[in-house]
Amino acid sequence: MPGRRRPLYEEDGAVLAVVLAAIRMDDETTTLTREGMPVLRVWERAAPEPVGRGAVPLRVAVSEDTLTLTARLPEGGEGMGAQARLEHLLPDARHVWVPHVTPEPGFVAGDHAFRSPAVIVANGQLALALVPDVEDVEAARRAGLRVWLDYDHPARMVTLAAGHYSTAGFHVGYRAEPVKYAGQEVRLRVYVLTSARPEDRANPYGLAARWHWERYGQKRHAEGGSQRAPLSRYCEHVERWAFGPGGWEETVWQSFTLEGEKAGAPAFIVDVAQHPSVPVAERRWREQRSVWNQAWFSTQRCANGLLRRARQVKSAELEDRARQMTRVALRAPQKDGLFPSVYTAGGGGYSLYKDTPDWSGARWAHSDRRPPSASPEAYHLLDGAFTARLLLEWHDLAGPGETEAVPYVRRFADRLCALQRPSGAFPGWVEPDGRVPATLAEGPETAMGATLLLELAERFPGEARYREAAARALRYLEEGPVAEGRWEDFETYFSCSRWWGDRVGERIARSGVFKANTLSMFWCAEAFLAAHRVLGGGQQDGAQRYLAIGRRCLDELSLYQQVWDPSWIPAPCHGGWGVMNADGEWNDARQSLFAPLYLAYYRVTGVPEYFERGVAALRASFAMLYCPENAQVRQAYERQHPAFGPESYGFMMENIAHGGPGTEVIGPFTIFTWGNGAALAAAATVRDLYGDVYIDTARKAAFGVDGCEATVDGGTVRVRDRYGRASLTAAYADGGRREVPLQDGRGEAPLAGPAPARP
């Protein structure tokens, strides 16, 4: 295929795209084979009702690994567009992936869901991925058409169309609609990837993810991706907006006293109804005035990142804020080790400031992102385990004077072990009296507890209970959620997309998949990477098995990463993430959470794609920031919020196009802990660990991180900067660091670095 960069992903000399042969043609179908094995049948007639009325069949041409589908629409009238149907011939599929669920006839996966589009199936003999060409999707848009696909799993039938669709049915579903015909020319290429390798049959997601990154993602990454300014410039905007004069500090920063100590943190959510131009008497709280330490909205994650950032820029003021934020976590009252996740003064529902209690009447509470079967007093173990892990990191960052975090975490971990179920899973929610609500009593949220226990097992190797409980949890995850692709967690059902919430644990039969959320994939990828590190010592087979499972999770997660920039999304989207297979967001802010994990997987595997994806995710973490450097996004904000100006540089909506195409593109709020503050934390963390340039001497590899490129030329790393800086920091894989002077945006560093600094 054009521009193949084989060394990026090819392993053991395997070729992942194959030459297809057309072996039979009758009046309606062409059957395609791989080495004599029937793989795909192309139906040369449109789909039946309800999506086939007045449709024009797409003609098919086969060349190597590519199906080229073409048609010319009539000069007038309307119909359901140009269509082709592809029937895969793989019975008993063990793995299925689609970009969006299509639960009933008439529902389709619209091109708004085409972040890394594919239909993937694999059985015991073969892995198959059908990949639409996104450049053809873009060309169809310019012709006034919207591309969609549908997958009927029981019939093994994929329908691909250039027509029209609208959002309908649920948040966010798409329904096919007629389109007006005007003689449009249609070309849609579909790439057919197959592999019989055992590792690809076990992990067909990597088959498609690698192809997407090579074909689309890597080129855009090399051009800079979503980054438009140095990461430090973005961080400065965030700091001034949240903490400094001339921004939104009087609303963002909340100060209070906890057990006689000064504490504070950014408010959970800040809305345009609180813009500095709005008189204080008229400002309103969109949601409760509160501070959260939850698996999304984590004040402690931001505190850890802010402490790193404070030390990087030598700011005592930022460090003090980070310490105040950490006091919130450490003062959450424990009951038998469990603790609440929210500290709130109340209010919300756009209540006026004057009608909202002050912090003197604050109380501890829990996240309201929970199932109806859980009471408001129920502890969410995922939230607790996430905060506990961050407190362990805080302990390491804060230094010898920090004595509270580890005992606090161990009390939680001991209770977590006691709550482990016979299956090895940890409960989702636990009531104060110990009862476990039935909804998501077991699920992939177990991964967060497993990772916490693995991290404790590293610190306390003599405490066998941590290691043993983690191993049982990993077995549950491997044999349950990972094997089934059952990525169900609190966000899957109890946030914006509540559809299917009365059928938790039930596969969507027509689509062949569960309603699936990216957070669960991420948590499991984390857990199995930790298992590779902690449990794999001296057991090479076991270590590699854990790593293979982790990569299977990470590669499926990669299929939700945006590898291109559609013209209809008014923001640079490359490297960012969608949420799930039943929602509409682009660049949903979770990329700041995911970025470090991809970089960590590179360290273990040496696969360059993972490092590049991690850097792309970090760059995308700031793509929605309102600031002059992000010119396209700035214009979109100002169209939606005309009052915005320099006082709002640093404001960041968590995502774009939340409701799908044709809906409000820019939203009205910022969540510091799931947007600008989380991006700052990720940038500070990555800079500490990987510098501006990362050099892996042993592998003879180098990567640009912060707006630069790095290439290895013999024993020299050549660096090119996009932003005219005087120097960049190179971090070496063995822990050494050096400054790289730049002149006219170019500089050099030796491939072999200085000796690492002593701890």
Side-chain angles (χ1 to χ4, degrees), residues 232-249 252 275-276 622 624-638 641-653 670 672 676-677 680:
S232 60
R233 183 84 51 80
Y234 288 140
C235 291
E236 288 164 3
H237 286 309
V238 175
E239 291 159 11
R240 190 196 58 82
W241 176 81
F243 310 132
W248 291 41
E249 181 193 17
V252 174
H275 185 275
F622 293 96
M624 289 303 299
L625 196 75
Y626 174 69
C627 63
E629 293 82 2
N630 289 350
Q632 182 186 17
V633 171
R634 177 186 179 182
Q635 293 170 5
Y637 273 104
E638 291 174 356
H641 307 304
F644 273 23
E647 80 293 329
S648 299
Y649 293 162
F651 184 101
M652 189 166 88
M653 177 62 190
T670 279
F672 184 88
N676 46 12
L680 183 151

Side-chain angles (χ1 to χ4, degrees), residues 401-552:
E402 201 293 306
T403 60
E404 294 183 83
V406 172
Y408 190 95
V409 169
R410 294 191 73 180
R411 289 192 291 271
F412 174 81
D414 289 345
R415 181 69 188 282
L416 185 69
C417 290
L419 288 166
Q420 191 167 33
R421 296 165 71 83
S423 66
F426 298 116
W429 285 262
V430 177
E431 298 289 354
D433 63 4
R435 287 182 298 110
V436 174
T439 306
L440 289 181
E442 298 186 357
E445 291 185 354
T446 290
M448 188 66 70
T451 307
L452 170 65
L453 296 178
L454 289 168
E455 291 169 347
L456 285 169
E458 279 186 294
R459 291 169 184 265
F460 304 102
E463 300 282 358
R465 67 186 185 282
Y466 297 143
R467 179 182 293 265
E468 292 166 359
R472 289 194 296 273
L474 291 164
R475 281 196 296 273
Y476 161 75
L477 292 168
E478 179 184 357
E479 296 168 3
V482 175
E484 297 170 358
R486 180 163 46 86
W487 306 118
E488 298 177 305
D489 53 56
F490 76 93
E491 186 184 28
T492 319
Y493 297 108
F494 311 120
S495 177
C496 304
S497 180
R498 294 176 178 260
W499 169 80
W500 208 253
D502 59 342
R503 302 172 79 171
V504 177
E506 182 178 333
R507 196 182 296 270
I508 300 167
R510 188 172 183 275
S511 297
V513 298
F514 292 92
K515 190 183 180 191
N517 184 46
T518 53
L519 287 179
S520 289
M521 302 170 204
F522 166 72
W523 298 326
C524 286
E526 265 193 321
F528 285 99
L529 184 63
H532 168 78
R533 182 181 72 246
V534 180
L535 302 182
Q539 302 177 20
Q540 188 65 18
D541 290 345
Q544 292 308 310
R545 183 172 62 84
Y546 286 135
L547 186 61
I549 298 168
R551 291 185 67 178
R552 171 260 179 275

Side-chain angles (χ1 to χ4, degrees), residues 715-735:
T716 300
V717 176
R718 305 195 186 281
V719 178
R720 187 175 73 84
D721 177 41
R722 294 186 176 89
Y723 301 116
R725 289 168 285 191
S727 67
L728 295 171
T729 299
Y732 288 80
D734 65 0

